Amino acid sequence: MAKTILVSSEGKYGIEAGVEVLRGGAARLDVIEAAIRPVEIAPECRSVGLGGWPNLTGAAELDASIMDGRTLHSGSVGALSGFRHPISVARQVMERLPHVLLVGAGAARFATEIGAEPGPTDDQAAAVALARQGWETWLTAHVPAEVRADWPDVPLIEWARQSADPETAHGTTIALVKDAAGEIGCGVSTCGWAYKYPGRLGDSPIIGAGVYADSRYGAAGCTGMGELTIRTGTARAVVLYMKMGLSVEAACREALADLRAAERRFKGGVTIHAIDAAGQPCVLSVGRFTDTVRWYFWTEGMPAFEERQTLVAGW
Ligand code: GLY
């Protein structure tokens, strides 16, 4: 069983740590945490962790999930504020509760109860300041001074629509892992859409939309416009298409056909990351900025992980 790890663009900050523990024989969920935790605190990363883009009110609300492809057990947190490693909190939801998904105040309460590391910590201060600066710049450019004077105690609906900027509606880190036992898992962590409406959940904490794993067939995870992949259940669809006998690339293309059928109100794109049961990878992007999408891959036999370019499709 060839050990394999695939991470998305932002995963470049954690692939080395992931490969190291996978090489050492760690099990899939430990590898996922090892690969995603560095991304959540990477000073350069603006789409994952507390240094990621905040919501419309300037608060960071983070989403993360993890899924075990052997048991289909899953854990997710949504709109979690104040903690350094949402991926680890998501895992503990899976391990310690009879639930799958916690959001907002309940997720934060749980994180406190389990002793999760609070944040932002000193090493995250610069990243948080940069993200906040981006938010202030956006606010100044889009919201008239008389409205800003009462911000955020104003109706926010109109501004959420204006924040639908594809440049900041991408990012997210994905890790898809096949371990020494041949079992598969996947994990996702993100700050979500920049300047989103407070309480907005993307696809990352929604099992079946932004994340899915079943060791019998493979795993998939999505970055980009989560509103689209929630509507078509993209990650589950990819795995289901593989179950129906499609190759990993054909399964991604079939899920893309489902996405195309959904009417789009906003610009932006989606990148589907997938591996099949043998660890064979495919990454397929649609929409804007696809030429900048990279992914990182290592499987047993490769001396080191490789940076690869996504397959690009049009809407
Ligand atoms: N795909 C990440 C999000 O929409 O939040």
Side-chain angles (χ1 to χ4, degrees):
M1 291 293 180
K3 300 172 199 164
T4 300
I5 179 168
L6 185 165
V7 302
S8 57
S9 280
E10 302 289 37
K12 65 185 170 213
Y13 303 114
I15 178 74
E16 204 169 329
V19 170
E20 191 182 327
V21 296
L22 183 58
R23 274 190 204 269
R28 55 209 169 278
L29 302 186
D30 294 332
V31 178
I32 289 165
E33 273 195 84
I36 290 183
R37 284 170 63 98
V39 188
E40 291 177 329
I41 53 170
E44 308 86 346
C45 184
R46 287 289 78 71
S47 67
V48 181
L50 289 167
W53 308 115
N55 69 14
L56 270 175
T57 70
E61 290 186 329
L62 309 179
D63 299 340
S65 64
I66 196 163
M67 183 164 188
D68 182 357
R70 187 180 72 78
T71 60
L72 308 191
H73 283 309
S74 317
S76 302
V77 288
L80 174 68
S81 294
F83 293 88
R84 199 169 147 85
H85 290 299
I87 188 67
S88 298
V89 182
R91 180 168 180 186
Q92 292 304 311
V93 169
M94 182 185 107
E95 308 265 1
R96 295 169 79 157
L97 284 177
H99 308 309
V100 168
L101 171 58
L102 294 181
V103 299
R109 177 191 173 115
F110 172 77
T112 303
E113 273 189 41
I114 64 168
E117 299 153 82
T121 38
D122 287 351
D123 60 334
Q124 294 175 292
V128 172
L130 264 179
R132 197 168 174 88
Q133 202 176 52
W135 170 73
E136 281 164 1
T137 303
W138 180 88
L139 215 58
T140 309
H142 291 82
V143 182
E146 64 273 19
V147 180
R148 284 204 311 275
D150 295 322
W151 201 269
D153 300 321
V154 298
L156 293 175
I157 295 171
E158 180 189 345
W159 310 108
R161 296 188 69 81
Q162 291 203 26
S163 74
D165 173 1
E167 192 161 354
T168 46
H170 66 228
T172 303
T173 189
I174 308 268
L176 309 176
V177 173
K178 182 176 157 76
D179 67 15
E183 301 290 350
I184 288 176
C186 62
V188 184
S189 185
T190 187
C191 70
W193 181 330
Y195 325 137
K196 60 195 176 185
Y197 197 96
R200 177 261 188 190
L201 297 185
D203 57 342
S204 303
I206 311 294
I207 304 301
V211 58
Y212 201 79
D214 183 327
S215 295
R216 296 172 298 173
Y217 312 113
C222 305
T223 60
M225 277 278 184
E227 276 67 10
L228 280 175
T229 62
I230 289 172
R231 288 161 64 203
T232 62
T234 303
R236 172 73 177 127
V238 170
V239 175
L240 198 53
Y241 289 133
M242 289 194 281
K243 176 180 178 178
M244 304 304 285
L246 269 58
S247 70
V248 62
E249 182 180 337
C252 290
R253 292 194 183 279
E254 198 60 37
L256 172 60
D258 297 339
L259 284 166
R260 286 199 184 104
E263 185 182 291
R264 280 171 290 118
R265 294 196 194 130
F266 304 109
K267 291 176 183 162
V270 169
T271 296
I272 304 171
H273 308 72
I275 57 172
D276 66 15
Q280 195 63 31
C282 177
V283 177
L284 176 64
S285 298
V286 61
R288 294 183 63 184
F289 301 106
T290 47
D291 51 340
T292 65
V293 174
R294 299 287 183 274
W295 51 287
Y296 299 84
F297 183 71
W298 177 82
T299 192
E300 259 176 331
M302 287 170 59
F305 66 84
E306 289 176 3
E307 178 184 283
R308 297 187 181 179
Q309 197 159 354
T310 187
L311 299 171
V312 175
W315 281 121

